[in-house]
Amino acid sequence: MLSLIKLPRVFTINQVPKVFHEDSIISGYRHPRSSATDCILSLFQLTNETLNIWTHFLPTWYFFWKLLTVVLMQDVWRDSFTWPLLVFLMSCCVYPLASSCAHTFSTMSTRARHICFFFDYGALSLYSLGSAITYSAYVIPDKWVNSLFHQYYIPIAVVNTVICTALACYSRLGLPYIQYNHDIIKRFSECKSPKFGKFLRILAFALPYLFDNIPLFYRLFLCVGEGCTDNDTNALHHTHIALAFLTAFLFATHLPERLAPGSFDYIGHSHQLFHVFGIIGTHFQMEAIEQDMVTRRPWLLTYSLPITFTNTLGAALLSVTLSLGIIFLFSLPLLWSATRGEHTEKKTQSHPIHG
């Protein structure tokens, strides 16, 4: 069937606008004004985005299956102790799905690229909150249960998701209507300062991760004596942390393609590895959370803070609402320019495609 369909062309780095360039990736680029159909067809041809898409799209269904298992096998409607796990698993479904959609449709236009990744950043923010909610419920060491830190941990995590989404969106274009507007050319673009934009994105996601993991870091590396929750689950937590730092290293360094530009354009570049190790890390994180949930349940139900709608699903809904509001604010000038400034963008993107 696919042999009867004409697949879209691919281009080299010199044939696409700078905003589409990836560090040390020379070939395999899709047309910067692809149709939605072309974007979907590109899933079935080898481009420099193909494995980026599939390495997150397929795991989405694995986490969805895990979510369904919890919903069908446990009494989630009456057992509030399962709610943090539900929030976490929902976030595990959302972030790879949003990522795969962003990578799929990011070549429809310059504006579409920015908006797609705005949603990607919002989904990652939700995942960070999902982690925090489960850590508060199941992972926090015995010593810290009911402490002042424990009481304010979830509210601070919600604030962090707002900061994370806003800072990550800012890293692409700057402030809406101040540093970019309907004239897409006159903007503070990441293509003018890619290293600064990359630094801001790393910062945007490193800060929530480090905060979310304060209870776990203390439990694993600093706590001594009684109340440290030293159990068999700690090995899984160590594996997840190692994989998390590996994914951060790959995202920040662009290795291995930086060592041999053009050699890893289609298979084996850092963003693909970032996706793979990130998903594996999420799997081990999920296993550790579920094991802590089961083994510590009797003690936590007796001594820990009560699990309510407010500190689980309510916190997640508030985070989603605030993140969507931020995404809307950053997207609004681009959506408005789609009708007001169409001619400008066509001029911007018509020059680079040759031969």
Side-chain angles (χ1 to χ4, degrees), residues 153-205:
Y153 179 64
I154 296 299
I156 295 173
V158 172
V159 173
N160 283 341
T161 64
V162 175
I163 296 172
C164 170
T165 304
L167 187 58
C169 292
Y170 173 83
S171 73
R172 297 195 69 87
L173 292 170
L175 294 172
Y177 293 111
I178 297 175
Q179 292 173 302
Y180 68 100
N181 52 37
H182 67 276
D183 186 354
I184 197 72
I185 298 174
K186 296 179 181 178
R187 54 181 168 78
F188 174 78
S189 172
E190 65 172 350
C191 70
K192 293 180 181 179
S193 52
K195 290 183 179 179
F196 181 63
K198 187 65 172 281
F199 169 76
L200 287 180
R201 277 195 290 284
I202 293 173
L203 183 65
F205 297 109

Side-chain angles (χ1 to χ4, degrees), residues 4-5 19 30 42 53 65 77 82 89-90 104 121 141 179-180 189 201 223 235 242 252 273 298 325 341:
L4 302 177
I5 300 174
V19 70
R30 296 172 294 171
S42 71
I53 298 166
W65 170 74
W77 306 111
T82 63
L89 289 175
M90 284 188 285
T104 299
Y121 304 151
Q179 292 173 302
Y180 68 100
S189 172
R201 277 195 290 284
C223 189
L273 299 176

Side-chain angles (χ1 to χ4, degrees), residues 123-279:
L124 284 171
S125 297
L126 177 63
Y127 167 66
S128 75
L129 179 62
S131 300
I133 289 172
T134 53
Y135 284 9
S136 174
Y138 313 133
V139 176
I140 192 166
D142 295 354
K143 277 186 178 181
W144 283 12
V145 167
N146 286 319
S147 65
L148 187 65
F149 175 83
H150 193 192
Q151 293 172 31
Y152 287 97
Y153 179 64
I154 296 299
I156 295 173
V158 172
V159 173
N160 283 341
T161 64
V162 175
I163 296 172
C164 170
T165 304
L167 187 58
C169 292
Y170 173 83
S171 73
R172 297 195 69 87
L173 292 170
L175 294 172
Y177 293 111
I178 297 175
Q179 292 173 302
Y180 68 100
N181 52 37
H182 67 276
D183 186 354
I184 197 72
I185 298 174
K186 296 179 181 178
R187 54 181 168 78
F188 174 78
S189 172
E190 65 172 350
C191 70
K192 293 180 181 179
S193 52
K195 290 183 179 179
F196 181 63
K198 187 65 172 281
F199 169 76
L200 287 180
R201 277 195 290 284
I202 293 173
L203 183 65
F205 297 109
L207 290 178
Y209 175 81
L210 293 174
F211 174 80
D212 293 348
N213 281 272
I214 288 174
L216 184 58
F217 290 157
Y218 176 77
R219 169 179 162 177
L220 297 179
F221 305 119
L222 298 175
C223 189
V224 292
E226 294 184 3
C228 292
T229 319
D230 186 8
N231 57 29
D232 293 340
T233 311
N234 287 359
L236 292 171
H237 286 304
H238 279 108
T239 303
H240 160 244
I241 290 172
L243 288 165
F245 279 96
L246 176 59
T247 58
F249 172 79
L250 291 168
F251 183 79
T253 61
H254 291 281
L255 293 175
E257 66 269 17
R258 181 169 285 180
L259 300 176
S263 299
F264 300 94
D265 291 353
Y266 297 95
I267 299 175
H269 62 72
S270 62
H271 204 84
Q272 295 169 358
L273 299 176
F274 165 74
H275 279 197
V276 170
F277 287 112
I279 289 295

